[in-house]
Amino acid sequence: MSEMSGDDLAAVSQLRSSVMRLARRLRHQHVEQSLSPTEMGVLGTLARCGSATPGELARREHVQPPSMTRIIAMLEEKGLVRRESHPQDRRQVVVSMTEQAAEILDESRRRRNAWLAELAAQLTEEEWARLREAAPVLDKLAHL
């Protein structure tokens, strides 16, 4: 995309603000109040990507390895992840989530989806159609 016009810059600002506000409201819909957004993020990454080393999790979550080590320890203490020996490199560990964590994530997703569906029901048919079309583009932005 070339240099942005004033209208484009205004749209970027509105998009940023709206996405942040919606994300903040969605975070408040989670089931397990004792988990931080970072801890929920790590569990979500494990659910999407499967077991991973602490270093891989740190890269995916954009945190420093010592921070990820602390997060994993807290999740392990809560019974939500387990550490196992790496199958190829015994010097490393692999972190995987427990069944309890999977249940928390499933319930959290159900609750967030229901909340978002209630909001979407308040849109006009045209607004809902535009939002459905925008969803893949927003997903692409989230993963760039």
Side-chain angles (χ1 to χ4, degrees), residues 11 22 40 63:
L22 185 59
M40 287 294 286
V63 299

Side-chain angles (χ1 to χ4, degrees), residues 31 97 99 101-111:
V31 173
M97 65 180 210
E99 183 64 34
E103 290 170 7
I104 288 170
L105 283 177
D106 286 346
E107 181 57 31
S108 183
R109 284 185 191 115
R110 277 192 291 280
R111 186 173 180 169

Side-chain angles (χ1 to χ4, degrees), residues 2 4-5 9 17 19 25-26 30 33-34 45 48 51 53 64 69 71 83-84 88 90 101 119 127 129 134 139:
S2 61
M4 291 191 167
S5 70
L9 290 173
S17 176
V19 167
R25 290 180 67 196
L26 271 169
H30 70 272
Q33 299 297 324
S34 69
T45 295
R48 277 187 313 281
S51 299
T53 66
Q64 294 299 313
T69 300
I71 294 165
R83 300 177 207 223
E84 299 164 336
Q88 285 83 35
R90 297 288 178 196
L119 288 183
E127 289 169 331
D139 189 57

Side-chain angles (χ1 to χ4, degrees), residues 71-129:
I71 294 165
I72 291 168
M74 288 187 289
L75 290 170
E76 187 174 35
E77 189 175 298
K78 294 174 183 179
L80 301 176
V81 299
R82 66 180 153 269
R83 300 177 207 223
E84 299 164 336
S85 294
H86 192 286
Q88 285 83 35
D89 184 351
R90 297 288 178 196
R91 296 171 295 173
Q92 290 197 49
V93 296
V94 174
V95 179
S96 56
M97 65 180 210
T98 64
E99 183 64 34
Q100 180 184 355
E103 290 170 7
I104 288 170
L105 283 177
D106 286 346
E107 181 57 31
S108 183
R109 284 185 191 115
R110 277 192 291 280
R111 186 173 180 169
R112 291 175 188 198
N113 286 347
W115 177 81
L116 198 51
E118 282 181 33
L119 288 183
Q122 298 173 44
L123 299 175
T124 66
E125 190 56 44
E126 181 184 333
E127 289 169 331
W128 178 233

